[in-house]
Amino acid sequence: MNCYYHPDKPAIGLCKHCQRGLCSDCAALVDDSLACKDRHEEQVRALEEMTRQNILKSKRIRSDYLRNTIFYGTVGVLFTAFGVSQIRWLGLQAIVYAVIGLALLWAALANYLESRKYR
Ligand SMILES: [Zn+2]
Ligand SMILES: [Zn+2]
C-alpha cells in the first residue's frame, strides 16, 4: 500500500479518521494513532478523547456493579442466615426473611455477571 497523497511512496500506516495510507511525510502522531498531517489531526484527537472517556465510563459502571454485588451479597447473606436460624421460632416469618435473602443473593449474582461485561 502506498501513501494516498504521494502514490510513489510506501505508506507507514493509516489515518485513524479517513483510513487512508500515509507516508512518513504525511503522518502526524496523535497520542498513539496516526492522522493526516494538517488535515485530520483534530478529528483523530477528538476520536482518541472519546475512546478515553468510554474506557473511564465503563470502569465506573463496572465498579458500580461490583459495589451493588457486595451490598446485595452482604445483606442477602444476613437475611438468609437470620431466616434459617430463626425458622424454629418464627416459622413462616423466618421463611419470608430467608426468601428475601435468597432474592438479594440472586440480585448480587446478576450484578456480578453484569460487571463482567465491562472488562
Ligand atoms: Zn485522514
Ligand atoms: Zn505522503
Side-chain angles (χ1 to χ4, degrees), residues 22 49 60 62-63 86 106:
L22 298 170
E49 184 59 31
R60 209 174 309 141
R62 180 156 180 255
S63 68
Q86 299 297 309
W106 180 253

Side-chain angles (χ1 to χ4, degrees), residues 26-46:
C26 302
L29 196 63
V30 178
D31 289 332
D32 289 327
S33 303
L34 292 177
C36 305
K37 196 181 248 169
D38 300 328
R39 286 185 177 85
H40 295 139
E41 283 174 81
E42 273 312 304
Q43 284 90 332
V44 172
R45 195 166 290 131

Side-chain angles (χ1 to χ4, degrees), residues 5 15-20 22 35-36 39-40:
Y5 304 101
C15 169
K16 198 172 183 177
H17 177 69
C18 62
Q19 312 299 325
R20 284 169 181 155
L22 298 170
C36 305
R39 286 185 177 85
H40 295 139

